[in-house]
Amino acid sequence: MMEVFNRRWQDVDRARASTLKAIGDLLRVHGKTLHDYNLPIPDDRLLEPELDNQLFHAIDVAAQWAPQVDALNAQQRTVFDRIMVAVDDDQDVAKTFYVDGPEGTGKTTLYGCLKWALQNQRPPREVLCVAFTGIAASLWDSALDVWIAVWYAD
Ligand SMILES: Nc1ncnc2c1ncn2[C@@H]1O[C@H](COP(=O)(O)OP(=O)(O)OP(=O)(O)O)[C@@H](O)[C@H]1O
């Protein structure tokens, strides 16, 4: 991680501060702090004001979804595994899934985990999220209204 920051800043102190901040952000998701691991607190003066770049976005997304994939319950895990296997299967297997369940049972969480896991495969998969209404699509990062997606595909 520090190498990535160092390439960006070309400055080892700033790279160290940015790395510590990123590690601190990841730890915070797990209820821990840098202090818990005897790591130093990054010098604020060396940090950029909040950076909106791809690396930080990727770290945020990983911090959000990586723990959720591990925490899927048995039913979510069954669906998750089945879909992941089907995506990777080159045979002519069914690849259309309909996930349903009462409210609050973890469907959205499951979709998020699938999206994140597929985008983080090597090589990464492209994932297009669509919803039937613009309002629903707006709840997802980079999701599209299904009609707009069809229009783009044409
Ligand atoms: N495996 C899990 N372990 C713990 N909490 C979970 C798990 N899956 C989902 N949750 C939590 O349960 C809540 C409801 O999850 P989610 O929004 O994914 O459900 P949903 O089925 O999409 O709900 P709705 O139908 O109302 O949109 C969220 O706070 C989510 O973080």
Side-chain angles (χ1 to χ4, degrees):
M1 192 188 285
M2 186 152 160
E3 262 175 44
V4 176
F5 282 116
N6 206 19
R7 266 203 301 279
R8 177 185 170 86
W9 302 129
Q10 300 289 308
D11 179 323
V12 88
D13 291 328
R14 291 180 75 189
R16 184 177 294 116
S18 298
T19 305
L20 283 167
K21 180 174 183 315
I23 293 171
D25 290 345
L26 282 169
L27 288 173
R28 206 168 49 245
V29 175
H30 297 278
K32 301 276 185 192
T33 64
L34 289 168
H35 184 72
D36 293 334
Y37 295 91
N38 289 327
L39 289 166
I41 304 298
D43 184 341
D44 276 343
R45 289 164 305 175
L46 296 172
L47 294 169
E48 282 278 298
E50 211 42 59
L51 293 166
D52 184 24
N53 65 33
Q54 283 188 336
L55 176 62
F56 279 77
H57 182 65
I59 290 169
D60 281 350
V61 172
Q64 180 186 357
W65 291 108
Q68 305 247 42
V69 173
D70 290 338
L72 290 176
N73 64 32
Q75 286 174 309
Q76 289 168 319
R77 172 69 53 194
T78 301
V79 180
F80 179 89
D81 289 345
R82 250 189 100 182
I83 293 175
M84 292 299 283
V85 166
V87 169
D88 280 332
D89 194 332
D90 292 333
Q91 313 289 318
D92 188 19
V93 295
K95 298 205 186 228
T96 305
F97 294 85
Y98 180 77
V99 179
D100 196 13
E103 64 193 42
T105 48
K107 303 175 294 292
T108 309
T109 305
L110 173 65
Y111 300 147
C113 289
L114 284 164
K115 178 174 184 280
W116 182 79
L118 290 166
Q119 288 175 331
N120 281 278
Q121 278 188 338
R122 294 283 169 267
R125 300 266 179 185
E126 266 193 61
V127 180
L128 175 61
C129 296
V130 294
F132 281 106
T133 65
I135 288 185
S138 71
L139 299 174
W140 273 103
D141 187 22
S142 64
L144 290 175
D145 181 310
V146 69
W147 313 116
I148 294 176
V150 169
W151 181 73
Y152 271 133
D154 279 351

